[in-house]
Short mmCIF file of all heavy atoms in Angstrom, two decimals:
data_model
loop_
_atom_site.label_atom_id
_atom_site.label_comp_id
_atom_site.label_asym_id
_atom_site.label_seq_id
_atom_site.Cartn_x
_atom_site.Cartn_y
_atom_site.Cartn_z
N ARG A 1 0.85 -1.18 0.02
CA ARG A 1 0.02 0.00 0.04
C ARG A 1 0.84 1.28 0.03
O ARG A 1 1.98 1.22 0.58
CB ARG A 1 -0.95 0.03 1.31
CG ARG A 1 -1.86 -1.19 1.35
CD ARG A 1 -2.64 -0.96 2.67
NE ARG A 1 -3.57 -2.12 2.81
CZ ARG A 1 -3.30 -3.24 3.54
NH1 ARG A 1 -2.06 -3.41 4.03
NH2 ARG A 1 -4.18 -4.16 3.67
N PRO A 2 0.32 2.36 -0.54
CA PRO A 2 1.04 3.63 -0.44
C PRO A 2 0.80 4.21 0.93
O PRO A 2 0.07 3.66 1.75
CB PRO A 2 0.38 4.48 -1.51
CG PRO A 2 -1.06 3.93 -1.55
CD PRO A 2 -0.95 2.44 -1.29
N PHE A 3 1.43 5.37 1.16
CA PHE A 3 1.25 6.13 2.41
C PHE A 3 -0.11 6.94 2.32
O PHE A 3 -0.58 7.16 1.18
CB PHE A 3 2.34 7.12 2.64
CG PHE A 3 3.68 6.44 3.05
CD1 PHE A 3 3.82 5.05 3.02
CD2 PHE A 3 4.78 7.23 3.30
CE1 PHE A 3 5.10 4.44 3.28
CE2 PHE A 3 5.97 6.62 3.51
CZ PHE A 3 6.18 5.30 3.63
N ILE A 4 -0.63 7.30 3.43
CA ILE A 4 -1.67 8.36 3.46
C ILE A 4 -1.15 9.53 4.06
O ILE A 4 -0.40 9.63 5.15
CB ILE A 4 -2.86 7.85 4.36
CG1 ILE A 4 -3.54 6.61 3.74
CG2 ILE A 4 -3.86 9.00 4.53
CD1 ILE A 4 -4.63 6.04 4.63
N HIS A 5 -1.27 10.68 3.34
CA HIS A 5 -0.75 11.97 3.76
C HIS A 5 -1.90 12.93 4.01
O HIS A 5 -2.72 13.16 3.17
CB HIS A 5 0.16 12.51 2.68
CG HIS A 5 0.82 13.82 3.10
ND1 HIS A 5 1.95 13.87 3.89
CD2 HIS A 5 0.53 15.09 2.82
CE1 HIS A 5 2.37 15.06 4.08
NE2 HIS A 5 1.46 15.90 3.44
N MET A 6 -1.92 13.51 5.34
CA MET A 6 -3.07 14.39 5.65
C MET A 6 -2.36 15.75 6.00
O MET A 6 -1.45 15.71 6.85
CB MET A 6 -3.82 13.89 6.85
CG MET A 6 -4.67 12.57 6.44
SD MET A 6 -5.36 11.80 7.96
CE MET A 6 -3.85 10.96 8.57
N SER A 7 -2.78 16.80 5.38
CA SER A 7 -2.10 18.09 5.61
C SER A 7 -3.22 19.14 5.93
O SER A 7 -4.44 18.86 5.85
CB SER A 7 -1.40 18.53 4.34
OG SER A 7 -2.26 18.55 3.23
N GLY A 8 -2.75 20.31 6.43
CA GLY A 8 -3.65 21.45 6.74
C GLY A 8 -4.14 21.42 8.12
O GLY A 8 -5.14 22.05 8.43
N PHE A 9 -3.42 20.80 9.09
CA PHE A 9 -3.85 20.76 10.45
C PHE A 9 -3.78 22.12 11.18
O PHE A 9 -4.58 22.60 11.95
CB PHE A 9 -3.02 19.68 11.27
CG PHE A 9 -3.50 18.34 10.96
CD1 PHE A 9 -2.65 17.58 10.05
CD2 PHE A 9 -4.62 17.78 11.46
CE1 PHE A 9 -3.02 16.26 9.75
CE2 PHE A 9 -4.94 16.43 11.18
CZ PHE A 9 -4.15 15.69 10.26
N LEU A 10 -2.68 22.83 10.82
CA LEU A 10 -2.50 24.20 11.56
C LEU A 10 -2.68 25.33 10.57
O LEU A 10 -3.15 26.38 10.98
CB LEU A 10 -1.01 24.26 12.02
CG LEU A 10 -0.64 23.12 13.02
CD1 LEU A 10 0.86 23.32 13.45
CD2 LEU A 10 -1.52 23.25 14.26
N ALA A 11 -2.48 25.11 9.32
CA ALA A 11 -2.63 26.22 8.31
C ALA A 11 -2.88 25.63 6.92
O ALA A 11 -2.53 24.42 6.61
CB ALA A 11 -1.35 27.04 8.29
N GLY A 12 -3.61 26.33 6.11
CA GLY A 12 -3.95 25.84 4.76
C GLY A 12 -5.15 25.00 4.76
O GLY A 12 -5.78 24.74 5.72
N ARG A 13 -5.39 24.46 3.57
CA ARG A 13 -6.56 23.68 3.36
C ARG A 13 -6.31 22.27 3.74
O ARG A 13 -5.33 21.72 3.55
CB ARG A 13 -6.90 23.74 1.84
CG ARG A 13 -8.22 23.05 1.46
CD ARG A 13 -8.48 23.21 -0.03
NE ARG A 13 -9.66 22.51 -0.44
CZ ARG A 13 -10.13 22.43 -1.66
NH1 ARG A 13 -9.54 23.06 -2.64
NH2 ARG A 13 -11.28 21.80 -1.99
N HIS A 14 -7.39 21.68 4.41
CA HIS A 14 -7.28 20.27 4.75
C HIS A 14 -7.36 19.42 3.50
O HIS A 14 -8.16 19.57 2.63
CB HIS A 14 -8.49 19.88 5.66
CG HIS A 14 -8.34 20.37 7.04
ND1 HIS A 14 -9.00 19.76 8.07
CD2 HIS A 14 -7.63 21.39 7.57
CE1 HIS A 14 -8.64 20.38 9.22
NE2 HIS A 14 -7.85 21.38 8.96
N ARG A 15 -6.39 18.46 3.42
CA ARG A 15 -6.35 17.63 2.28
C ARG A 15 -5.78 16.18 2.73
O ARG A 15 -4.96 16.02 3.48
CB ARG A 15 -5.41 18.20 1.21
CG ARG A 15 -5.43 17.47 -0.12
CD ARG A 15 -4.79 18.36 -1.17
NE ARG A 15 -3.39 18.60 -0.95
CZ ARG A 15 -2.86 19.83 -0.99
NH1 ARG A 15 -3.60 20.89 -1.24
NH2 ARG A 15 -1.53 20.01 -0.75
N LEU A 16 -6.37 15.25 2.07
CA LEU A 16 -5.96 13.83 2.30
C LEU A 16 -5.57 13.25 0.96
O LEU A 16 -6.35 13.23 0.02
CB LEU A 16 -7.07 13.00 3.03
CG LEU A 16 -6.75 11.58 3.40
CD1 LEU A 16 -7.52 11.17 4.67
CD2 LEU A 16 -6.94 10.54 2.32
N GLU A 17 -4.44 12.58 0.94
CA GLU A 17 -3.94 12.03 -0.41
C GLU A 17 -3.20 10.68 -0.10
O GLU A 17 -2.70 10.40 1.00
CB GLU A 17 -2.83 12.96 -0.98
CG GLU A 17 -3.33 14.34 -1.34
CD GLU A 17 -2.20 15.23 -1.79
OE1 GLU A 17 -1.46 15.76 -0.96
OE2 GLU A 17 -2.03 15.38 -3.03
N PHE A 18 -3.23 9.88 -1.14
CA PHE A 18 -2.32 8.77 -1.15
C PHE A 18 -1.00 9.14 -1.79
O PHE A 18 -0.93 9.75 -2.82
CB PHE A 18 -2.95 7.60 -1.99
CG PHE A 18 -4.14 6.91 -1.34
CD1 PHE A 18 -5.41 7.16 -1.91
CD2 PHE A 18 -4.05 6.21 -0.22
CE1 PHE A 18 -6.46 6.60 -1.38
CE2 PHE A 18 -5.21 5.58 0.35
CZ PHE A 18 -6.40 5.84 -0.14
N VAL A 19 0.11 8.73 -1.17
CA VAL A 19 1.41 9.19 -1.60
C VAL A 19 2.40 8.01 -1.55
O VAL A 19 2.29 7.23 -0.68
CB VAL A 19 1.96 10.38 -0.73
CG1 VAL A 19 3.34 10.84 -1.20
CG2 VAL A 19 0.97 11.55 -0.73
N GLY A 20 3.29 8.09 -2.57
CA GLY A 20 4.38 7.05 -2.56
C GLY A 20 4.08 5.87 -3.49
O GLY A 20 3.19 5.98 -4.34
N SER A 21 4.84 4.78 -3.36
CA SER A 21 4.75 3.75 -4.31
C SER A 21 4.14 2.50 -3.77
O SER A 21 4.08 2.31 -2.54
CB SER A 21 6.15 3.36 -4.81
OG SER A 21 6.96 2.90 -3.73
N THR A 22 3.55 1.70 -4.64
CA THR A 22 3.02 0.33 -4.29
C THR A 22 3.34 -0.58 -5.31
O THR A 22 3.63 -0.23 -6.51
CB THR A 22 1.46 0.54 -4.11
OG1 THR A 22 0.90 -0.77 -3.68
CG2 THR A 22 0.85 0.88 -5.49
N SER A 23 3.33 -1.82 -5.01
CA SER A 23 3.69 -2.90 -5.99
C SER A 23 2.61 -3.99 -6.03
O SER A 23 1.88 -4.30 -5.04
CB SER A 23 5.01 -3.60 -5.58
OG SER A 23 4.95 -4.22 -4.32
N VAL A 24 2.49 -4.60 -7.12
CA VAL A 24 1.58 -5.75 -7.38
C VAL A 24 2.36 -6.90 -7.98
O VAL A 24 2.92 -6.67 -9.08
CB VAL A 24 0.35 -5.42 -8.30
CG1 VAL A 24 -0.54 -6.62 -8.27
CG2 VAL A 24 -0.36 -4.15 -7.78
N VAL A 25 2.37 -8.00 -7.40
CA VAL A 25 3.26 -9.13 -7.87
C VAL A 25 2.44 -10.41 -8.01
O VAL A 25 1.67 -10.78 -7.07
CB VAL A 25 4.44 -9.40 -6.87
CG1 VAL A 25 5.23 -10.55 -7.38
CG2 VAL A 25 5.28 -8.13 -6.78
N CYS A 26 2.57 -11.08 -9.17
CA CYS A 26 1.95 -12.30 -9.34
C CYS A 26 3.06 -13.36 -9.63
O CYS A 26 3.70 -13.42 -10.71
CB CYS A 26 0.98 -12.38 -10.51
SG CYS A 26 0.18 -14.01 -10.81
N LEU A 27 3.40 -14.21 -8.64
CA LEU A 27 4.51 -15.14 -8.84
C LEU A 27 4.25 -16.17 -9.86
O LEU A 27 5.14 -16.63 -10.53
CB LEU A 27 4.82 -15.88 -7.41
CG LEU A 27 5.29 -14.92 -6.29
CD1 LEU A 27 5.51 -15.68 -5.05
CD2 LEU A 27 6.59 -14.24 -6.77
N LYS A 28 2.99 -16.60 -10.08
CA LYS A 28 2.60 -17.67 -11.03
C LYS A 28 2.91 -17.20 -12.46
O LYS A 28 3.46 -17.98 -13.29
CB LYS A 28 1.18 -18.09 -10.84
CG LYS A 28 0.77 -19.18 -11.80
CD LYS A 28 -0.61 -19.71 -11.44
CE LYS A 28 -0.52 -20.60 -10.18
NZ LYS A 28 -1.78 -21.34 -9.84
N THR A 29 2.53 -16.09 -12.78
CA THR A 29 2.70 -15.52 -14.17
C THR A 29 3.96 -14.75 -14.39
O THR A 29 4.40 -14.55 -15.54
CB THR A 29 1.48 -14.59 -14.59
OG1 THR A 29 1.50 -13.53 -13.74
CG2 THR A 29 0.15 -15.38 -14.38
N GLY A 30 4.55 -14.22 -13.34
CA GLY A 30 5.76 -13.46 -13.46
C GLY A 30 5.51 -12.02 -13.92
O GLY A 30 6.35 -11.28 -14.18
N VAL A 31 4.16 -11.63 -13.88
CA VAL A 31 3.80 -10.32 -14.26
C VAL A 31 3.64 -9.43 -12.98
O VAL A 31 3.08 -9.86 -11.97
CB VAL A 31 2.48 -10.27 -15.03
CG1 VAL A 31 2.01 -8.83 -15.25
CG2 VAL A 31 2.59 -11.00 -16.34
N SER A 32 4.26 -8.27 -12.95
CA SER A 32 4.24 -7.37 -11.84
C SER A 32 3.87 -5.95 -12.24
O SER A 32 3.88 -5.67 -13.46
CB SER A 32 5.64 -7.36 -11.07
OG SER A 32 5.95 -8.67 -10.68
N ALA A 33 3.61 -5.10 -11.27
CA ALA A 33 3.32 -3.74 -11.52
C ALA A 33 3.87 -2.90 -10.49
O ALA A 33 4.02 -3.23 -9.34
CB ALA A 33 1.79 -3.58 -11.64
N GLU A 34 4.40 -1.71 -10.82
CA GLU A 34 4.85 -0.72 -9.83
C GLU A 34 4.07 0.55 -10.14
O GLU A 34 3.88 1.05 -11.29
CB GLU A 34 6.33 -0.49 -9.93
CG GLU A 34 6.87 -0.16 -11.33
CD GLU A 34 8.37 -0.27 -11.42
OE1 GLU A 34 8.97 -0.79 -10.57
OE2 GLU A 34 8.89 0.34 -12.34
N ILE A 35 3.47 1.16 -9.04
CA ILE A 35 2.58 2.29 -9.22
C ILE A 35 3.03 3.38 -8.26
O ILE A 35 3.25 3.12 -7.12
CB ILE A 35 1.13 1.92 -8.96
CG1 ILE A 35 0.73 0.75 -9.92
CG2 ILE A 35 0.21 3.15 -9.08
CD1 ILE A 35 -0.66 0.16 -9.61
N GLU A 36 3.08 4.65 -8.74
CA GLU A 36 3.46 5.76 -7.98
C GLU A 36 2.27 6.70 -7.78
O GLU A 36 1.68 7.09 -8.78
CB GLU A 36 4.57 6.50 -8.67
CG GLU A 36 5.18 7.69 -7.78
CD GLU A 36 6.01 7.13 -6.68
OE1 GLU A 36 6.52 6.02 -6.78
OE2 GLU A 36 6.33 7.90 -5.69
N PHE A 37 1.91 6.96 -6.51
CA PHE A 37 0.85 7.90 -6.25
C PHE A 37 1.40 9.34 -6.03
O PHE A 37 2.32 9.51 -5.21
CB PHE A 37 0.12 7.48 -4.97
CG PHE A 37 -0.77 6.25 -5.20
CD1 PHE A 37 -0.18 4.96 -5.21
CD2 PHE A 37 -2.15 6.33 -5.34
CE1 PHE A 37 -0.88 3.84 -5.32
CE2 PHE A 37 -2.91 5.19 -5.49
CZ PHE A 37 -2.29 3.98 -5.53
N LYS A 38 0.97 10.26 -6.77
CA LYS A 38 1.57 11.61 -6.80
C LYS A 38 0.84 12.46 -5.77
O LYS A 38 -0.33 12.32 -5.51
CB LYS A 38 1.39 12.20 -8.19
CG LYS A 38 2.12 11.42 -9.28
CD LYS A 38 3.59 11.35 -9.12
CE LYS A 38 4.38 10.74 -10.23
NZ LYS A 38 5.76 10.69 -10.09
N SER A 39 1.54 13.42 -5.23
CA SER A 39 1.01 14.38 -4.20
C SER A 39 0.90 15.75 -4.87
O SER A 39 1.64 16.15 -5.77
CB SER A 39 2.00 14.44 -3.05
OG SER A 39 1.60 15.44 -2.21
N LYS A 40 -0.07 16.55 -4.28
CA LYS A 40 -0.20 17.87 -4.75
C LYS A 40 0.90 18.74 -4.21
O LYS A 40 1.28 19.72 -4.84
CB LYS A 40 -1.59 18.42 -4.16
CG LYS A 40 -1.98 19.80 -4.71
CD LYS A 40 -2.42 19.73 -6.12
CE LYS A 40 -3.04 21.06 -6.60
NZ LYS A 40 -3.47 21.04 -8.01
N GLY A 41 1.52 18.31 -3.14
CA GLY A 41 2.68 19.05 -2.56
C GLY A 41 2.33 20.22 -1.78
O GLY A 41 1.24 20.77 -1.76
N MET A 42 3.29 20.74 -0.99
CA MET A 42 3.08 21.86 -0.05
C MET A 42 2.73 23.10 -0.77
O MET A 42 1.94 24.00 -0.29
CB MET A 42 4.37 22.08 0.73
CG MET A 42 4.71 20.96 1.82
SD MET A 42 6.17 21.33 2.69
CE MET A 42 5.64 22.78 3.54
N LEU A 43 3.26 23.31 -1.98
CA LEU A 43 2.96 24.58 -2.75
C LEU A 43 1.78 24.37 -3.71
O LEU A 43 1.42 25.27 -4.45
CB LEU A 43 4.17 24.95 -3.61
CG LEU A 43 5.42 25.25 -2.71
CD1 LEU A 43 6.58 25.64 -3.59
CD2 LEU A 43 5.18 26.39 -1.67
N GLY A 44 1.17 23.15 -3.73
CA GLY A 44 -0.04 22.95 -4.57
C GLY A 44 0.22 22.88 -6.02
O GLY A 44 -0.55 23.18 -6.91
N ARG A 45 1.54 22.58 -6.40
CA ARG A 45 1.90 22.52 -7.89
C ARG A 45 1.90 21.11 -8.41
O ARG A 45 2.13 20.92 -9.59
CB ARG A 45 3.30 23.17 -7.97
CG ARG A 45 3.34 24.61 -7.61
CD ARG A 45 4.78 25.17 -7.66
NE ARG A 45 4.80 26.59 -7.28
CZ ARG A 45 5.99 27.30 -7.17
NH1 ARG A 45 7.07 26.66 -7.43
NH2 ARG A 45 5.94 28.51 -6.75
N GLY A 46 1.71 20.16 -7.56
CA GLY A 46 1.70 18.73 -8.06
C GLY A 46 0.43 18.36 -8.72
O GLY A 46 -0.47 19.19 -8.99
N GLU A 47 0.21 17.05 -8.85
CA GLU A 47 -0.91 16.44 -9.47
C GLU A 47 -1.80 15.75 -8.43
O GLU A 47 -1.44 14.75 -7.81
CB GLU A 47 -0.53 15.43 -10.62
CG GLU A 47 -1.65 14.84 -11.29
CD GLU A 47 -1.23 13.91 -12.39
OE1 GLU A 47 0.02 13.68 -12.44
OE2 GLU A 47 -1.98 13.47 -13.17
#
C-alpha cells in the first residue's frame, strides 16, 4: 500500500492524499506492476 498523507492541520486547506509507491506481484505468471501515487505538494503545484 502507499502512504496516506493528511495536511492542513495548523494552516492551509485540509487535504488527504495517497502518496508514494505500491507494488503488485503475481509469482505464477511473473507479471508485476509498480505504481506511484503523486502528491499535490506543499505549494500545490503537483498532481
